[in-house]
Amino acid sequence: SQEAFCLKGLRCISHPRFLLSSELVVAGAMGEPEVDITFDEENRIRVMPKDKFKQTESLEAECKDFSQKIQAFGSTVDMLVEVLDGESTKIELEKMRAIGQRNRAEMEAEARKRKELTMKAAISEKEAEFDRLGFQLTSLERAEREQKVLIEKLSNNEVG
């Protein structure tokens, strides 16, 4: 006999293929679509057809694979962010060093200019002193010549 078991609240209809394929068709209340209840190879009850169940399992496997790929991508992105953070820290450090070196170079240039001005002032002072001493030398040499001439005149007057 083809007796069908019924789920609570549903009208059960025995299906002609029930004995061959382990299917039971359950009609919904008031014109709702029929639902196929099947038993798989492991005698588990299935509400959807075998081909749709296989598609669902395939979709589940693809979703798991996609999820794993997304997790791997997330890990890669996290690692990349860490590497870029480390590199940005190094870049900032080098940037600060470059700024410091540029400031030192500018200060060195300014120091050289100040030293050059100081040395030029010292040279001017020395040149002025040189000119003054040169004038003094000329003046003393003239006085010496005049004194020698006077000494010569005085010594000639005594002799004669």
Side-chain angles (χ1 to χ4, degrees):
S1 85
Q2 291 185 348
E3 292 183 20
F5 71 94
C6 293
L7 299 175
K8 189 174 182 179
L10 296 176
R11 184 173 51 94
C12 297
I13 305 169
S14 59
H15 194 274
R17 297 182 308 193
F18 178 69
L19 295 174
L20 297 174
S21 66
S22 303
E23 289 185 2
L24 178 63
V25 177
V26 180
M30 299 239 183
E32 291 180 13
E34 294 180 345
V35 176
D36 287 340
I37 297 177
T38 60
F39 297 92
D40 65 7
E41 295 82 23
E42 298 171 4
N43 292 323
R44 290 184 289 182
I45 297 175
R46 299 287 178 212
V47 180
M48 79 176 60
K50 189 175 188 174
D51 60 333
K52 288 190 180 184
F53 181 72
K54 293 290 182 190
Q55 287 175 349
T56 304
E57 284 181 330
S58 173
L59 182 60
E60 180 184 18
E62 288 178 27
C63 288
K64 285 181 182 178
D65 185 46
F66 180 74
S67 178
Q68 289 172 348
K69 287 180 181 178
I70 291 296
Q71 287 175 349
F73 179 72
S75 298
T76 302
V77 168
D78 289 343
M79 187 172 58
L80 179 63
V81 167
E82 287 178 21
V83 168
L84 291 178
D85 284 344
E87 291 301 314
S88 70
T89 302
K90 290 178 185 175
I91 289 170
E92 286 299 318
L93 180 64
E94 290 301 318
K95 185 176 165 184
M96 295 307 271
R97 281 187 187 154
I99 289 171
Q101 288 178 348
R102 183 182 66 207
N103 289 344
R104 271 189 251 130
E106 288 174 358
M107 288 175 23
E108 182 66 29
E110 290 174 8
R112 285 182 182 180
K113 286 180 184 178
R114 282 193 304 271
K115 190 170 185 175
E116 180 183 7
L117 291 175
T118 304
M119 293 178 106
K120 283 183 178 180
I123 289 172
S124 294
E125 288 176 16
K126 298 293 179 182
E127 285 177 343
E129 185 178 355
F130 177 76
D131 290 342
R132 183 182 59 77
L133 291 173
F135 180 74
Q136 186 179 4
L137 176 66
T138 307
S139 192
L140 289 174
E141 286 174 343
R142 188 175 353 118
E144 180 186 22
R145 277 192 311 262
E146 289 173 358
Q147 286 177 357
K148 282 185 181 179
V149 168
L150 182 63
I151 291 174
E152 190 69 35
K153 280 186 185 176
L154 289 174
S155 20
N156 284 341
N157 279 343
E158 280 183 17
V159 178

